[in-house]
Every structure is written in structure tokens, then in C-alpha cells.
Amino acid sequence: GIQVEQSPPDLILQEGANSTLRCNFSDSVNNLQWFHQNPWGQLINLFYIPSGTKQNGRLSATTVATERYSLLYISSSQTTDSGVYFCAVEPLNAGGTSYGKLTFGQGTILTVHP
Amino acid sequence: EPEVTQTPSHQVTQMGQEVILRCVPISNHLYFYWYRQILGQKVEFLVSFYNNEISEKSEIFDDQFSVERPDGSNFTLKIRSTKLEDSAMYFCASTALPGTVNNEQFFGPGTRLTVL
């Protein structure tokens, strides 16, 4: 199956710093989503971004589908940004039927200190 | 904004007991999913469901698990005889139509299952 690798595994920042999280995947994808898992365990949809660039406030994401990676940028980080960030992909099932199964990476644990 | 809901938020059960986790997907979505996350690990796919049938399932989804859409709104995951290793967060998700431009998956808040 498709492999999803996220880096770095852990990231510690001071409030106000910027950061870049990376997601590499081993095959072409039909769907790529970024999630933030908050301290209560909920998965918060950040971006649906199988290709291209999107921005939402201090967060932005870019997926370069041809090179099989996606980046999540966090600018001016805040303590509330702390948590685990997951990338999840659905492989492009050329010629077949896609049922939408998402494969998740291991996540990046982000800690933002005041 | 429409959202996926799940009940209960927490469930504590004794080993060997049956549990049913409930989900209400977004109303115009056609595909439904269950995922689970053991504490400290990544989220894993369990099963996808479309048109009242399982469309895909993982190795984790053995005979102890079953899914059902008992009415027009609910989607349930049943674990027949829980084991300690079933303790995890269980997420329900739904999407309009995978394999198309409408394939963003929306996740519920999760049910934390603890098996004692």
C-alpha cells in the first residue's frame, strides 16, 4: 500500500516562530488532507489539498503532486497550535474503483512554548 | 455548517462485553468510514461502507466487528466481545463521493473506548 512519511516527528517552538511540516508519499494521490489533533483527541480538518496551494489565516499548505510531497506552513505560531499534525492520503487508483480509504502518516508533534 | 456527530464521546466497558458506537454522517454524503487510533499511534482505517454494503475493510476489521446503517441517518460500529486491545479512539467519517473532486472526508469528534 501507499507509504506516508511525515517530518519532523517532533518540533518545539517559541511562540511567534514559523515552521514547516512535511509529508512525503510514495504514490500518486487522489486526495490529501491535513489535520490537527487537539488535546481532546479531535481531528480538526485543516486543508483538503490534493494539489496546489491554499491559505487559511496563519496556516497555508502546498502539495506538489508530481513530486509526491506536501508542506504545511504555520506562521507566527501560538500555544494553541500545539498538538499533533497528521497528513492523510488516498491513493490514485488508476482504472479502478476508489472507496476513499485514507492512509495516515505518523504525525508531527508540535509544542509551542509561551 | 454540516458536521459528523458521534455518540457517546466516552465509553467504558468490561472485557467481553458488546459495544455499539454511533455516528450520524453528513446528510448528503454517500460513503462512510470508521477509523481507530490507539493511544500514541497513528490513525488506522477500519472499514468503508456504501450502499448498505462494506466496500473495503482492513485486516483489523475481523469477525468481532460489524457495521450497519440501521436507518437513514445513523451509521454504527459494533464490537461483539471487546478485548483490552480494542481500547482506542474511534472516528467516523463521511464523504460525498470518493475518487472525484468531492472526496474530502469529514471526521467526527471521536468516541474514546476504554476496555477494562
Side-chain angles (χ1 to χ4, degrees):
Chain A
I2 193 167
Q3 303 298 310
V4 183
E5 291 184 6
Q6 292 187 241
S7 59
D10 297 275
L11 186 58
I12 299 174
L13 300 174
Q14 286 298 125
E15 202 167 27
N18 302 329
S19 61
T20 301
L21 282 58
R22 187 176 179 105
C23 172
N24 291 334
F25 42 95
S26 61
D27 218 334
S28 300
V29 297
N30 195 50
N31 180 9
L32 188 146
Q33 294 182 233
W34 283 97
F35 298 89
H36 175 215
Q37 187 162 43
N38 64 21
W40 296 271
Q42 297 173 340
L43 287 172
I44 309 300
N45 276 39
L46 295 178
F47 292 102
Y48 164 71
I49 188 163
S51 63
T53 298
K54 289 186 178 179
Q55 178 152 10
N56 184 4
R58 296 180 297 104
L59 273 59
S60 64
T62 295
T63 297
V64 184
T66 53
E67 297 187 23
R68 299 182 184 170
Y69 72 89
S70 183
L71 302 173
L72 177 69
Y73 305 97
I74 305 174
S75 65
S76 304
S77 57
Q78 301 175 358
T79 55
T80 51
D81 294 331
S82 296
V84 186
Y85 289 80
F86 288 104
C87 165
V89 303
E90 175 198 352
L92 182 64
N93 198 357
T97 303
S98 173
Y99 300 116
K101 166 188 168 183
L102 286 178
T103 299
F104 282 72
Q106 292 282 7
T108 291
I109 302 173
L110 175 64
T111 305
V112 181
H113 290 303
Chain B
E1 185 174 324
E3 58 181 16
V4 177
T5 59
Q6 291 185 240
T7 54
S9 55
H10 294 90
Q11 174 93 45
V12 180
T13 190
Q14 295 290 325
M15 192 169 55
Q17 295 296 304
E18 174 184 285
V19 294
I20 297 176
L21 310 183
R22 291 182 166 79
C23 168
V24 179
I26 294 173
S27 62
N28 63 342
H29 283 184
L30 300 177
Y31 277 77
F32 316 119
Y33 307 87
W34 285 100
Y35 294 83
R36 81 168 186 191
Q37 183 185 31
I38 294 171
L39 186 64
Q41 298 186 20
K42 68 177 182 179
V43 179
E44 302 172 288
F45 168 80
L46 289 178
V47 66
S48 61
F49 190 85
Y50 169 71
N51 199 25
N52 281 319
E53 288 185 343
I54 290 174
S55 45
E56 188 175 3
K57 61 182 181 179
S58 71
E59 294 175 352
I60 304 167
F61 194 88
D62 61 21
D63 292 344
Q64 291 285 81
F65 292 91
S66 62
V67 289
E68 190 179 27
R69 188 153 164 84
D71 53 43
S73 59
N74 289 283
F75 178 51
T76 62
L77 174 69
K78 181 193 290 186
I79 309 175
R80 287 190 184 77
S81 178
T82 49
K83 305 174 212 168
L84 296 176
E85 54 263 38
D86 293 327
S87 295
M89 181 77 106
Y90 288 81
F91 293 102
C92 174
S94 69
T95 189
L97 197 62
T100 72
V101 295
N102 294 320
N103 63 346
E104 181 177 4
Q105 279 189 35
F106 294 84
F107 280 69
T111 292
R112 189 174 299 281
L113 176 65
T114 302
V115 182
L116 302 176

